[in-house]
Amino acid sequence: MQKLSLPIPASEALAASQALQQQIAADIHRHQGWIPFSRYMELALYTPQTGYYSGGAAKLGKDGDFTTAPEMSPLFGASLATLAGTLFAQTLPQVMEFGAGTGKLARDFLTECQFSGITIERYFIVELSGELRARQEELLRDFPQVVWLQEMPAAFSGLVLGNEVLDAMPVDLLVKTEQGWAELGVTLAAQQADTTEPVLAWQERACEASRAAQIPQAEALPPGYVTEIHTVARGFMRSLGAMLQTGYADSGKGSAVILIDYGFPAAEYYHPQRSSGTLMCHYRHHAHPDPFYLPGLQDITAHVDFTAMAQAALESGLSLLSYTSQAGFLLESGITDLLSRSAPEQAMQYLPQANALQKLVSPAEMGELFKVLTVGIGMTLPERLLRHDRCHRL
C-alpha cells in the first residue's frame, strides 16, 4: 500500500496508538490469528482509554478530524427542536440521543425548546465514553432535563435522535473471489526487522452464505468486488424496535426515530461500479482509505445502507415514516425561518449562519449526500415532511 503522507502525531498520541496496536495483536492471538474486520473496527474505535471514541483527543471541529452538522450551526439542532414541538402531541415530551459527541446538538435543541416554549421533560443521552460524557456534562450544565445512560433502556416513548451514529458502527468486509464470496478479516503479518510493533494485514476467509445473502444481486457482482455489510447497525435497529415496542405497550404513546447520516439505498450502495466499498478513514481533516494507519488516532467509517436499516426496523415492528435528503428534511423542518430571526443587516451574525445553512442544504455539500431515515410506532409525520419523500427508492 502506498505510504500515507499525513500529519505526524504528538509523542503521547503515538504511544497510545502503539498501546492499542498491542491490544489488537493480543486479541488476534486469542482468536487463532484472525478476527473479522468488525472486531478490529470495534477495538480501534471503542477500546477504553485508547480507542478513537474512548480516548481524550479532540474529534470534532477545526482541531479535530471532521466536522458534523451540529458543530457547523445551531440552526441544525434548532430545526430538530422545531419539528419535535409538532411531534410531542403524539408522544411523551422526552428525547433520547445516541452519538451525542460534544453535546452541541443537545444544547442547541434544548436552547430552542426554551426559546419557543416547547416542553421537554427529559433529554436522555446514551453515552459509553466517560471522556465524552464529561464534556457533555460541562456543556449542558444549565439544562437539568439531561440524564445520561450507559445503555439502551428496555422501554422508551418519545423522540430518538442519531446524527452520524450508524456510520461509526463496525462493519464486516466481504470480497468476491473466483470461488465466490469471502470475508476480509485482520491478521498479523511477519514483523519488519526494524520494528517491534505488530504489523496488521488483510486475510480472506470463507464466508457464510447468510452474510453474502445481505448483498442484493450478489452473484452478479464481479470478482474483486469489495463491500461492507452492516450486521451491528442492523442489530441496533432491532434493539430500537424492541425498546419502542415496549414503550408503546407501557404508555400507549407513539415514538419516532430520526437517523441522519451519509449513505445510499441498497441499489446504489451495491452498484457494480462501487467496487471498492465505502470504507473511509479521517485523520485531522485528511480522508484516506487505510484503516490500519495509527489505530485509535483516526476515525473509521462506512456509508450507511439505508435499505438494510429500514428492513431491520420493519422486522422489529416499526413503521417506515420517511426517507429523504438532509436538504429536504431541514427545509421542511423550518431551518430558513430560524435563519430569518437574524437580520441580514447584522452581517457579523447573519453571514456565518447563512453560509452554514448553505453547506447543510446545498446538493453540492451535505444536502444530498446526507439522508434522513425516520421510522416509528404509533406516529404520523406532518404532511410537509413527506413532500420530498423517497421511500420508494429503498
Side-chain angles (χ1 to χ4, degrees), residues 31 58 61 125 131 167-168 228 280 287 291 293 298 305 311 315 327 339 380 394:
H31 292 87
I125 294 178
E131 180 263 333
D167 69 84
E228 307 90 22
M280 188 57 62
Y293 180 79
Q298 65 171 358
D305 173 3
Q311 287 174 340
E315 290 165 3
L339 175 64
T380 303
L394 294 172

Side-chain angles (χ1 to χ4, degrees), residues 29-224:
H29 283 304
R30 282 194 297 271
H31 292 87
Q32 291 73 54
W34 186 93
I35 57 175
F37 182 77
S38 57
R39 175 60 178 165
Y40 169 78
M41 188 169 169
E42 177 188 359
L43 292 169
L45 297 181
Y46 301 107
T47 296
Q49 281 78 57
T50 54
Y52 181 76
Y53 287 112
S54 305
K59 310 299 187 296
L60 304 173
K62 64 180 178 64
D63 297 323
D65 302 314
F66 55 90
T67 301
T68 63
E71 303 294 324
M72 292 170 57
S73 171
L75 297 175
F76 184 82
S79 297
L80 288 169
T82 301
L83 173 60
T86 68
L87 296 178
F88 283 154
Q90 303 176 62
T91 186
L92 298 179
Q94 54 186 15
V95 174
M96 181 177 297
E97 184 184 357
F98 292 87
T102 63
K104 181 72 162 52
L105 173 57
R107 187 181 69 176
D108 295 338
F109 187 104
L110 291 166
T111 298
E112 177 61 26
C113 287
Q114 275 187 346
F115 181 85
S116 298
I118 299 169
T119 299
I120 178 165
E121 294 177 355
R122 290 286 183 271
Y123 194 109
F124 296 99
I125 294 178
V126 181
E127 184 56 71
L128 303 180
S129 166
E131 180 263 333
L132 284 177
R133 174 171 173 170
R135 292 190 190 190
Q136 295 158 10
E137 288 176 340
E138 174 64 22
L139 191 69
L140 299 169
R141 61 186 182 277
D142 295 330
F143 298 99
Q145 306 100 316
V146 181
V147 177
W148 279 266
L149 304 174
Q150 289 192 306
E151 60 184 8
M152 190 184 299
F156 176 78
S157 294
L159 180 63
V160 177
L161 301 176
N163 181 61
E164 294 199 53
V165 170
L166 297 173
D167 69 84
M169 292 188 177
V171 295
D172 286 305
L173 295 184
L174 302 187
V175 58
K176 182 75 171 291
T177 71
E178 296 291 351
Q179 293 73 40
W181 286 93
E183 184 167 356
L184 269 177
V186 183
T187 189
L188 295 172
Q191 288 188 345
Q192 300 170 4
D194 60 346
T195 180
T196 59
E197 296 175 16
V199 180
L200 301 169
W202 297 107
Q203 187 178 78
E204 296 175 10
R205 287 216 173 169
C207 175
E208 297 177 8
S210 61
R211 296 169 85 71
Q214 297 181 39
I215 302 173
Q217 309 293 321
E219 296 312 311
L221 294 170

Side-chain angles (χ1 to χ4, degrees), residues 246-298:
T246 305
Y248 189 58
D250 290 349
S251 69
K253 295 288 187 177
S255 295
V257 181
I258 299 175
L259 297 167
I260 305 168
D261 227 312
Y262 46 90
F264 312 99
E268 297 176 34
Y269 198 101
Y270 299 106
H271 192 280
Q273 293 181 347
R274 204 179 303 281
S275 59
S276 299
T278 72
L279 196 74
M280 188 57 62
C281 305
H282 299 273
Y283 174 68
R284 291 166 70 172
H285 290 281
H286 293 262
H288 68 89
D290 183 6
F292 300 154
Y293 180 79
L294 295 178
L297 302 187
Q298 65 171 358

